[in-house]
Amino acid sequence: MSNAKLWGGRFSESTSEAVEAFSESVSFDARLWKHDIAGSKAHARMLGRVGVLPAADVEAICAGLDAIAGDIEAGRFEWRTALEDVHMNIEQALTDRIGEAGKRLHTGRSRNDQIATDIRLYLRDAIDDLVADLNRLSEALRALAEREADTIMPGFTHLQVAQPVTFGHHMLAWREQILRDRDRLLDARRRTNVCPLGAAALAGTVYPIDRAYVAEQLGFDGVTANSLDTVSDRDFAIEFVSACSLLMVHLSRWSEELILWNTPMFGFVQLPDRFCTGSSIMPQKKNPDVPELVRGKSARTTGDLMSLLMLMKAQPLAYNRDNQEDKEPLFDAHDTTAACVALYAELIPALSVNRSACREAAIQGFSTATDLADYLVRKGMAFRDAHHVVGNVVAHAVQQGTDLASLPLDTLKGFSATIESDVFEVLSVEGSVAARDHVGGTAPARVRAAAKDASRDS
């Protein structure tokens, strides 16, 4: 019994049903259908342009592919696992529709360069959509930073109160992470946007193809340089998932802060009810499920990245069937990251900030101790000596159960005679924040100026 597959001429028996079920990919790569059809139409037009296909075949192929696209969009298309993947399903449907011309479409190409093209087209769209959502999120952070430019809160190191900052300054720190993520994706897009078609299985083709024409039709910046590398390269996919993974790490860090800030112990922020859920047993609970799930989903994208790295680490050139396993982690990383970014772009503008709770927390933990040390330095004391003096002042305040700004002037002068009444200007959290009025500083005026700087969004 012969094999009825499109590639089955040299086989003497049909593929095992178990092997078909094990090796099919159409259950997940069918999402590439738009890109597959776009690539096939560009390939067909090129074959007509160079005289490999007659114009009538090109016209029939393109019309047939458009009809198939319409059926897929309408939900009328039957995906068959026996046909293995998105490419063979569409090619067989085309041949069923238009006959002999459909069999000629695959002239001068292989599924190896075809899938490489499909994935690059898919990722180009994915990056563009993700960058648009990151820009939306960046704007939400910018607006929140401007709104909360005067809101004083504690800055932390080691999760201990360190120095006073503003909530706006903190939001701009988050925004810096997002802007880097966006730039990484745009940089990855440049390496993604080259056309693999023409590499065929691994060694190119004998037909007089015009790769530049195909690339131009599909909006690629150019063509790949080496056919062996072209069909086996998944660096661009790994790079995309790496960027997604790091982006998700950033969102996970935000989530951790929001979860803490939303607790009664902090009380810095209130999450909108629509982003939270309740408890099945405790009526009072309002759980920050969205930040918690985003924090959890960051593990998925990291796992997706590890899957792709391990997939490629021992593959010899050129294409290997292992690469069928690249799509599920790639799609999962994209879907997960896009969903989380979109949710945060909705959540951030609706975040409610408890300004009094933020300020009260900034007063605790002796957050202006460094300002007192700098005050002494400006009075002529060496910094290490000033550090020691302020350490003694803090130890005294701890024993007295008070903060630095509440210590009497005479008590402060007992630690250093250079301390005068102007010391209380630097011991207030407002004075501390205002003093750091420099580029990148936390002073409200600087925060507003940074928030209004649209040049970072270009």
Side-chain angles (χ1 to χ4, degrees), residues 130 134 137 173-185 188 237-255 294-295 297-306 309 333-334 336-338 340-341 344:
L130 197 48
L134 285 173
L137 178 54
W174 285 6
R175 184 168 178 259
E176 289 296 314
Q177 297 171 355
I178 284 298
L179 292 175
R180 290 196 300 271
D181 291 324
R182 182 198 63 186
D183 291 346
R184 266 185 288 272
L185 285 166
I238 294 172
E239 189 172 2
F240 172 78
V241 176
S242 175
C244 287
S245 184
L246 185 51
L247 194 168
M248 286 297 295
V249 166
H250 291 149
L251 296 187
S252 181
R253 295 179 68 185
W254 300 9
S255 296
V294 169
R295 184 176 59 183
K297 286 178 183 293
S298 67
R300 290 180 62 149
T301 52
T302 301
D304 293 330
L305 175 59
M306 292 303 103
L309 289 169
H334 172 219
T336 300
T337 304
C340 292
V341 171
Y344 263 111

Side-chain angles (χ1 to χ4, degrees), residues 436-457:
R436 290 189 292 282
D437 183 22
H438 53 78
V439 175
T442 191
R446 286 294 179 188
V447 171
R448 287 194 188 87
K452 290 179 180 177
D453 182 7
S455 65
R456 298 301 310 281
D457 290 321

Side-chain angles (χ1 to χ4, degrees), residues 123-359:
L123 278 185
R124 191 175 68 186
D125 290 345
I127 289 170
D128 290 346
D129 290 344
L130 197 48
V131 165
D133 277 345
L134 285 173
N135 284 335
R136 195 159 58 95
L137 178 54
S138 171
E139 171 56 25
L141 290 168
R142 186 209 63 75
L144 181 57
E146 188 171 12
R147 190 181 86 200
E148 303 297 337
D150 293 297
T151 302
I152 294 174
M153 68 175 291
F156 297 91
T157 62
H158 310 277
L159 205 55
Q160 304 295 311
V161 173
Q163 291 180 281
V165 296
T166 64
F167 198 93
H169 191 59
H170 201 112
M171 292 301 99
L172 290 180
W174 285 6
R175 184 168 178 259
E176 289 296 314
Q177 297 171 355
I178 284 298
L179 292 175
R180 290 196 300 271
D181 291 324
R182 182 198 63 186
D183 291 346
R184 266 185 288 272
L185 285 166
L186 290 172
D187 193 44
R189 189 190 192 282
R190 179 175 60 84
R191 279 179 289 279
T192 298
N193 199 35
V194 287
C195 184
L197 277 175
L202 78 163
T205 177
V206 299
Y207 298 99
I209 60 173
D210 186 343
R211 298 187 68 203
Y213 177 68
V214 174
E216 181 182 356
Q217 288 185 87
L218 295 173
F220 285 116
D221 293 332
V223 298
T224 55
N226 181 282
S227 62
L228 282 167
D229 176 64
T230 293
V231 297
S232 61
D233 172 31
R234 293 298 182 271
D235 290 3
F236 63 95
I238 294 172
E239 189 172 2
F240 172 78
V241 176
S242 175
C244 287
S245 184
L246 185 51
L247 194 168
M248 286 297 295
V249 166
H250 291 149
L251 296 187
S252 181
R253 295 179 68 185
W254 300 9
S255 296
E256 178 69 10
E257 290 187 313
L258 287 175
I259 291 163
L260 288 172
W261 294 351
N262 190 60
T263 63
M265 286 72 75
F266 279 77
F268 292 177
V269 299
Q270 184 77 17
L271 299 178
D273 284 357
R274 62 185 178 277
F275 289 94
C276 301
T277 65
S279 165
S280 63
I281 188 173
M282 294 169 283
Q284 84 283 7
K285 293 294 295 297
K286 178 182 173 182
N287 298 325
D289 281 20
V290 167
E292 288 178 354
L293 284 169
V294 169
R295 184 176 59 183
K297 286 178 183 293
S298 67
R300 290 180 62 149
T301 52
T302 301
D304 293 330
L305 175 59
M306 292 303 103
S307 292
L308 287 176
L309 289 169
M310 294 303 99
L311 176 70
M312 297 304 299
K313 73 175 184 62
Q315 285 195 39
L317 291 173
Y319 182 84
N320 299 277
R321 189 64 183 271
D322 310 45
N323 285 349
Q324 178 174 301
E325 295 299 307
D326 64 354
K327 293 164 208 54
E328 289 182 287
L330 175 63
F331 295 156
D332 182 67
H334 172 219
D335 292 345
T336 300
T337 304
C340 292
V341 171
L343 273 173
Y344 263 111
E346 297 295 328
L347 186 152
I348 293 299
L351 199 63
S352 176
V353 180
N354 186 335
R355 295 168 181 171
S356 61
C358 288
R359 185 186 183 282

Side-chain angles (χ1 to χ4, degrees), residues 44-80:
R45 284 192 289 261
M46 180 274 295
L47 291 177
R49 178 185 174 94
V50 299
V52 172
L53 289 184
D57 281 358
V58 174
E59 184 178 347
I61 287 169
C62 290
L65 289 171
D66 286 340
I68 290 170
D71 284 350
I72 296 173
E73 287 181 329
R76 294 189 300 264
F77 190 84
E78 180 187 358
W79 297 102
R80 292 186 280 170

